[in-house]
Amino acid sequence: MPDLTEFSKNAARAVDAMLDELLPKENEEPKWLHSAMRWSTFAGGKRFRPTLVFAVADLFDLPAERVGRTAAAVEMVHTFSLIHDDLPAMDDDDLRRGKPTCHIKFDEATAILAGDALLALAFKAIADDDGLGTDIRLKLIAELAEATGTPRGMVAGQQLDILSEDKEIDAEELERIHIHKTGALIKFSARSAALAAGASVSDLAAITEYASKLGLLFQITDDLLDVTQSTDVLGKTAGKDEESRKSTYVSLYGIEHAKVLAADTKEAAIVALSHFDERAEMLRAIATATLARTA
Ligand code: GRG
């Protein structure tokens, strides 16, 4: 059995060091903005997406250093999305990663700017990555832009999610929302390392299929945790989905059926990995841990 706990710890350490290097220092002007960016970035996230980047790199024997900037870029985009998602105009939340959200700790304008600046910095991190060839950097920038924006990325998913509030939506629409909102960045995380490693077309297809299922699994478990865990454990307000009358896998299927769906989705992720041999054990362990996660 691969030691996912140890692997995740090392991944978090590596991405945190890279983020610390790339983010402007708090003592550099505008200090208030840089403090806000660092506040949210280092608030204690799980570093799930960077771990996935490193695990796929490992599968292809690509040294971790080669994807360090990409892993940091993904985490910056993710942090940008959380900062903006917590704003009063969106989810209006005052707790994230167990700490006051960016607009509560700083102010609303600064939270908007901190998100904007993290998004811009993510693309610069990849553009300046001289450990990767120019063609790969361009490909990663294009794919990250697609995974982040619209019509195929996270911003599109967020818009669809907002428009679906207070509405009855079917399973197909729910899946469409989450493929974009949560899945696109998770898919990019896995594909980015495969692209950096020069993976073959069939390897890339298997990784893409695995990551698509993993993204859906991550969202189903997120919906389950929202109703089964406490605010303390989650580090963000529990029960928020029902309060904001959101359609979720739990509201659509009920807790028990959502659990079955999660288990089936994890199996589908594992099946996608049958393309690889035992070298994919860490990716199998990530799918298993995502199904079992408690926060
Ligand atoms: C504002 C453009 C824009 C997009 C927001 C990511 C997102 C889209 C909204 C967050 C709301 C949410 C609960 C999404 C579902 C899954 C998800 C992304 C959870 C948070 O990610 P974790 O659990 O967080 O990886 P940590 O804090 O561990 O990094």
Side-chain angles (χ1 to χ4, degrees):
M1 266 300 269
D3 190 345
L4 178 58
T5 308
E6 189 59 25
F7 188 87
S8 308
K9 241 188 251 167
N10 289 335
R13 211 174 293 132
V15 79
D16 282 4
M18 183 54 75
L19 286 165
D20 187 40
E21 189 184 317
L22 294 173
L23 259 68
K25 301 286 176 253
E26 284 181 356
N27 60 7
E28 185 182 344
E29 294 291 357
K31 294 177 185 168
W32 185 243
L33 175 63
H34 298 163
S35 301
M37 291 164 74
R38 282 179 170 266
W39 170 261
S40 292
T41 303
F42 296 109
K46 293 184 289 295
R47 307 307 195 212
F48 175 79
R49 295 155 192 79
T51 301
L52 187 57
V53 175
F54 288 120
V56 173
D58 202 48
L59 168 70
F60 291 109
D61 287 327
L62 187 70
E65 308 80 71
R66 296 278 298 280
V67 289
R69 277 176 170 259
T70 303
V74 170
E75 192 63 20
M76 285 187 221
V77 171
H78 171 57
T79 306
F80 134 74
S81 79
L82 298 182
I83 294 173
H84 282 196
D85 184 62
D86 289 333
L87 285 167
M90 297 217 193
D91 254 12
D92 193 11
D93 226 317
D94 48 16
L95 194 69
R96 171 71 69 179
R97 295 172 162 176
K99 301 210 168 76
T101 45
C102 198
H103 66 278
I104 296 290
K105 176 78 181 169
F106 294 86
D107 55 73
E108 226 176 291
T110 304
I112 293 170
L113 295 173
D116 294 343
L118 281 168
L119 179 61
L121 196 57
F123 288 97
K124 181 169 164 55
I126 299 178
D128 290 347
D129 189 349
D130 54 20
L132 297 174
T134 313
D135 51 340
I136 297 291
R137 283 188 243 175
L138 272 179
K139 177 83 181 139
L140 293 182
I141 288 169
E143 285 217 7
L144 182 57
E146 184 170 307
T148 303
T150 190
R152 278 181 282 276
M154 185 174 63
V155 169
Q158 179 78 345
Q159 178 70 85
L160 292 172
D161 195 25
I162 290 168
L163 293 174
S164 77
E165 274 173 35
D166 285 328
K167 292 208 180 84
E168 296 252 321
I169 59 168
D170 60 18
E172 200 184 324
E173 181 62 12
L174 187 67
E175 190 165 306
R176 189 188 353 265
I177 292 171
H178 294 306
I179 283 173
H180 295 83
K181 190 177 108 170
T182 312
L185 198 57
I186 290 177
K187 193 163 89 180
F188 172 79
S189 304
R191 279 178 60 87
S192 63
L195 288 167
S200 67
V201 171
S202 64
D203 284 357
L204 192 58
I207 286 296
T208 305
E209 174 66 8
Y210 161 76
S212 302
K213 298 300 177 196
L214 187 68
L216 273 184
L217 171 61
F218 191 88
Q219 183 62 51
I220 302 169
T221 52
D222 209 75
D223 289 355
L224 279 163
L225 291 172
D226 186 70
V227 296
T228 55
Q229 286 289 20
S230 67
T231 297
D232 262 5
V233 171
L234 294 180
K236 60 181 180 180
T237 314
K240 192 79 193 192
D241 292 338
E242 200 184 341
E243 188 195 307
S244 49
R245 302 177 52 76
K246 270 198 177 145
S247 288
T248 68
Y249 285 96
V250 171
S251 71
L252 203 62
Y253 295 99
I255 292 183
E256 289 317 311
H257 190 169
K259 281 184 182 168
V260 172
L261 200 61
D264 289 350
T265 309
K266 177 228 151 189
E267 274 317 307
I270 302 280
V271 167
L273 293 176
S274 57
H275 176 77
F276 302 101
D277 55 21
E278 68 282 353
R279 287 171 306 140
E281 277 306 285
M282 197 59 78
L283 296 180
R284 293 187 184 94
I286 288 176
T288 303
T290 303
L291 177 65
R293 75 190 179 106
T294 54

